[in-house]
Amino acid sequence: MSNFDLLNLPGLFIEICATSWQVSNGDDYLEFPLAHLEDGRLTDSCRDHLVAGLRNLLSKKGWRPRRRAFVAIGARGVSLRRLTLPLAAKEDFQRLLRLQIESEFPLPPDELAWGWQLLGHNSGRQEVLVAAVKKEMLGSCFEIFGACGVSPLFTLAALARNALCPPPLPSCAVLHIGSVESELLLFQDGAPSSIRLLAWGADSNTPLPAGCLNPKAIGGQLYLTGRGARNPAVVARLAQCLGNAAPCPALESGVSEGRSAAIAGLKKLAATGSGAPLLILQSGESGEQAAGVASWKWAAAAVLLLLALLGFPYVEAIALKPHLVKKLATIQADRERLPAIDRELEFLQFLKRSQPPYLDTIYLIAKLAPSGTSFESLSMTRRGDFSVRGKLQNAGQVTEFRSNLIHSAWFSSVVVDEQTPTPDRQVTVRMTAQVKPIDARKPLAVELPPTKPEPATNSAEPPKSAKK
Amino acid sequence: MRTLTDQEKRTIRFASVVLVAGLLLAGGLWSARRLQARRTAYQALLLEAQNVRDEIDRYQDKAQVAQKLIDTFHLDPMTLARTSLVAQASAAIQKASTEAGVAPGPIRESASRGASKEMASIQFEGSGPVAAVMALLYQLERAGCPLIIDSVRLTPDSRRPGSLKVNLTIVILDFEQWKSEGQPSA
């Protein structure tokens, strides 16, 4: 898998030079000049300017993943070695490589940002190209990229420029001519062998230091990149220095004026996808680690969500129980009043049931009595005993009155206790009866006089006259 | 101190992971059990509250019926004072008689029979027009006291033609006996 396959967004390529950062994001291309302190670190304002510029260029959305950026760094502080290792399994190979780095480089691997590239196998051994730089030199870069939400993948600008060389690559050299200093990358047998930083550039008035360009080491070809490659005077000086032994072709044909050859090389590798894998400098605080932190954040969020999901049914019990207990106590206090309501209702219903229908009975008697009847006494009790004494016109009316009482369905056991004719041909009568219980009685149909105002009482409205 | 080999470091790391996982598992199970217990208790409490609320809801209907009867009889049993109830009832009867237009006659009070939840009985005699007597019978039920007319006797008033003499036996109910009936016996 090529390293460029990791990019799933428009390519972000950065070259970090001694004097500027050049950034290419899709079609956008920006150059940020650098300002250094005396100890070589970037000034705060320069750092802020870089962060703001990169953020503005990337316009990062919160939901998007961190952008990966291929960052080409200069040769300052970089060591490039070709190491030969025995064939080994992957885990053992890493261990062997670390041991070899520890013996070959002045600093232990943990203090270096280093990467390797397999060059080939030869009689049971494998040749590896290793590049390393002190972690401290990339420290400020990590801070800036971290602030911009970018995961950087560091490689060497010189190796990236190599992608512009026409294949097949002979034993040669690539010289990048900067304004004040130059980078020389030497190739042997088609692979990088060493890298050097020359204190000489396109703006230098001094001649090229003697011996720094050995035609033997350069081999058959010297390719030029950078600003000086387009300057005929510089090229002439180089040719003079080399004794016109090797031609000096420029690799800037595919590079626009003022653009970085390293970025062009990275883009070329990205476009073809079949280029030689880049040598990526690994560091303990690389973007991979930042991405790992982000992954851990998502994992933690997922775990929290899961815990919330599992705990949600219990939250109600924990949060609402005190409130429920308080409310239940109030309800229980109200509940103690319920028997009182029961007793009160029972009492009132007993009172209602026990009220005898005196008025209804009197109304019914007045209605059922034949015309001309006069009552001398009437008595009733709560238990339903009813007796009446009166005078009717004749014996037939007595029978009629008795029948009416029976048919009214209000009375049972209607008995004429005494019936005595009087000298004026009337009949004095004494009757007793039993008022039926309320369930057995027929409801009364009350006939109200139309001219009278409607009384405010119920069917027990007292009749105006108890005598007929 | 001797430097640990990679193998020993791996073993220690593995043991630490297992130990932490075990502790987390045990703690998780303990927490889950506690939470489940709390949830079960809460559910029981919720069920109890629901039952109590249902019970109270059922009493809403009873309370409405009771209120209607209170309005009908102009009587709230909870406000009755046992010590002055007979006096209040006697006064209410006389007031109802006067308002109805019945001239009150002799009034006799007698103590009740203890077993019948009655406090006292009153014998009332009066006379008045038929309509007034009927109005008295009607108003006695709504006099604001727990009164039940035990018996009625109507006879003509020989002194005033067109008028009736009314003899009433009125019973005063004792609500305190209803109250004590609902209380648990010792």
Side-chain angles (χ1 to χ4, degrees):
Chain A
M1 184 183 73
S2 168
N3 292 311
F4 291 106
D5 291 344
L6 298 172
L7 297 173
N8 51 5
L9 289 169
L12 178 61
F13 304 97
I14 300 170
E15 183 184 5
I16 299 177
C17 307
T19 55
S20 67
W21 279 30
Q22 297 184 48
V23 182
S24 172
N25 181 32
D27 295 333
D28 297 330
Y29 194 95
L30 286 176
E31 184 168 0
F32 300 96
L34 301 182
H36 294 277
L37 296 170
E38 287 180 358
D39 58 1
R41 290 186 294 115
L42 296 174
T43 62
D44 290 342
S45 60
C46 176
R47 193 192 311 267
D48 296 342
H49 178 64
L50 278 171
V51 170
L54 281 175
R55 278 182 178 167
N56 187 39
L57 180 69
L58 299 176
S59 303
K60 187 177 185 310
K61 303 288 189 295
W63 52 270
R64 282 187 177 169
R66 290 170 70 92
R67 290 286 300 273
R68 284 178 184 271
F70 275 86
V71 183
I73 61 171
R76 180 174 292 277
V78 174
S79 297
L80 195 66
R81 306 279 170 84
R82 286 171 77 156
L83 305 177
T84 303
L85 300 171
L87 288 174
K90 191 176 178 183
E91 295 80 14
D92 292 337
F93 172 76
Q94 289 285 344
R95 193 167 49 83
L96 283 173
L97 188 57
R98 288 179 67 88
L99 288 172
Q100 197 71 14
I101 289 170
E102 201 157 3
S103 63
E104 291 282 340
F105 289 83
L107 292 174
D110 291 339
E111 295 181 22
L112 295 171
W114 57 273
W116 60 274
Q117 184 179 351
L118 186 63
L119 297 178
H121 299 85
N122 187 12
S123 61
R125 301 184 75 80
Q126 51 190 345
E127 195 170 23
V128 175
L129 176 69
V130 176
V133 64
K134 276 178 75 174
K135 273 185 187 174
E136 293 171 8
M137 299 193 66
L138 303 179
S140 59
C141 298
F142 279 119
E143 289 176 10
I144 293 168
F145 288 127
C148 300
V150 171
S151 297
L153 293 173
F154 290 99
T155 186
L156 295 185
L159 294 178
R161 290 183 206 110
N162 182 34
L164 299 177
C165 293
L169 190 67
S171 176
C172 63
V174 178
L175 180 65
H176 175 72
I177 306 171
S179 53
V180 293
E181 58 186 17
S182 303
E183 292 179 10
L184 178 66
L185 180 65
L186 299 174
F187 288 82
Q188 275 184 359
D189 305 326
S193 60
S194 66
I195 189 167
R196 292 174 61 191
L197 190 67
L198 308 179
W200 174 84
D203 298 340
S204 300
N205 296 323
T206 56
L208 195 65
C212 63
L213 283 180
N214 184 359
K216 248 185 193 174
I218 288 169
Q221 191 70 276
L222 177 64
Y223 295 104
L224 301 180
T225 63
R227 290 174 54 195
R230 289 192 173 86
N231 189 337
V234 174
V235 176
R237 266 194 285 171
L238 275 173
Q240 188 182 0
C241 181
L242 290 171
N244 296 324
C248 300
L251 297 177
E252 304 286 285
S253 58
V255 184
S256 307
E257 177 68 30
R259 299 290 173 95
S260 159
I263 288 177
L266 289 173
K267 281 186 173 179
K268 186 178 177 184
L269 288 171
T272 59
S274 59
L278 284 173
L279 187 151
I280 302 297
L281 299 175
Q282 305 290 341
S283 166
E285 48 189 341
S286 66
E288 292 295 334
Q289 192 184 32
V293 170
S295 301
W296 274 109
K297 281 182 183 172
W298 281 109
V303 169
L304 278 178
L305 200 62
L306 185 67
L307 286 177
L309 187 70
L310 291 174
F312 187 74
Y314 304 103
V315 169
E316 185 188 359
I318 294 168
L320 298 184
K321 191 178 176 185
H323 174 68
L324 183 64
V325 167
K326 218 177 275 181
K327 198 171 178 181
L328 194 60
T330 312
I331 294 175
Q332 291 283 16
D334 287 344
R335 191 188 191 182
E336 289 174 4
R337 291 177 46 217
L338 298 182
I341 293 176
D342 268 339
R343 286 194 294 274
E344 192 174 321
L345 180 63
E346 189 185 345
F347 176 75
L348 289 166
Q349 284 177 334
F350 174 80
L351 187 62
K352 187 185 178 187
R353 280 197 310 271
S354 303
Q355 296 292 347
Y358 294 130
L359 292 174
D360 290 351
T361 308
I362 293 169
Y363 169 73
L364 191 64
I365 293 295
K367 196 178 170 188
L368 298 179
S371 176
T373 303
S374 65
F375 292 113
E376 293 175 0
S377 72
L378 184 149
S379 64
M380 286 179 282
T381 68
R382 180 162 52 136
R383 287 159 292 281
D385 301 331
F386 171 80
S387 70
V388 64
R389 182 184 176 87
K391 193 179 279 185
L392 281 80
Q393 296 297 316
N394 50 48
Q397 282 192 345
V398 175
T399 307
E400 181 191 350
F401 184 42
R402 182 182 191 173
S403 300
N404 287 343
L405 289 178
I406 292 170
H407 290 126
S408 69
W410 265 62
F411 300 96
S412 61
S413 309
V414 180
V415 177
V416 178
D417 291 337
E418 186 182 345
Q419 185 177 197
T420 309
T422 59
D424 53 356
R425 295 186 178 180
Q426 291 187 337
V427 178
T428 302
V429 66
R430 185 162 60 86
M431 299 174 72
T432 58
Q434 185 73 31
V435 178
K436 289 183 178 177
I438 187 167
D439 301 332
R441 292 196 299 255
K442 190 176 157 186
L444 280 182
V446 180
E447 296 167 7
L448 296 173
T451 52
K452 298 286 176 67
E454 188 179 349
T457 57
N458 59 10
S459 63
E461 170 66 21
K464 295 299 177 188
S465 171
K467 289 192 176 181
K468 286 198 173 182
Chain B
M1 186 180 172
R2 184 173 68 88
T3 308
L4 296 175
T5 64
D6 287 349
Q7 176 72 23
E8 288 168 337
K9 284 179 183 172
R10 268 201 302 276
T11 305
I12 289 172
R13 269 201 297 271
F14 179 74
S16 305
V17 168
V18 169
L19 190 65
V20 169
L23 286 174
L24 282 177
L25 189 66
L29 286 174
W30 180 78
S31 304
R33 270 200 296 273
R34 279 201 57 147
L35 285 173
Q36 187 60 38
R38 289 192 72 167
R39 187 167 182 238
T40 306
Y42 177 74
Q43 297 283 1
L45 209 59
L46 210 60
L47 190 66
E48 187 185 344
Q50 185 69 37
N51 290 338
V52 172
R53 199 171 64 180
D54 289 347
E55 192 179 346
I56 288 177
D57 284 347
R58 281 198 296 276
Y59 268 84
Q60 295 289 337
D61 295 339
K62 288 186 178 179
Q64 282 179 1
V65 173
Q67 186 60 46
K68 192 177 175 187
L69 290 172
I70 286 171
D71 295 341
T72 302
F73 292 117
H74 302 127
L75 167 69
D76 184 0
M78 303 302 286
T79 61
L80 295 176
R82 192 170 195 271
T83 50
S84 58
L85 184 58
V86 177
Q88 284 177 13
S90 179
I93 290 168
Q94 292 184 54
K95 187 184 173 193
S97 165
T98 308
E99 284 178 358
V102 174
I107 297 176
R108 299 181 192 88
E109 294 177 6
S110 56
S112 72
R113 294 153 289 175
S116 58
K117 295 181 181 176
E118 295 169 4
M119 179 175 276
S121 64
I122 296 176
Q123 297 280 338
F124 174 84
E125 291 181 18
S127 68
V130 175
V133 171
M134 299 299 118
L136 174 63
L137 291 177
Y138 176 76
Q139 286 184 9
L140 280 179
E141 293 179 1
R142 293 155 180 80
C145 292
L147 304 178
I148 293 177
I149 302 172
D150 190 54
S151 67
V152 177
R153 180 175 170 78
L154 301 175
T155 52
D157 189 354
S158 56
R159 291 173 298 176
R160 279 179 283 186
S163 293
L164 290 176
K165 276 181 71 176
V166 56
N167 289 329
L168 299 176
T169 305
I170 300 167
V171 170
I172 304 169
L173 295 180
D174 186 5
F175 181 59
E176 293 296 324
Q177 292 191 35
W178 259 268
K179 280 188 192 173
S180 57
E181 194 179 53
Q183 290 168 357
S185 53

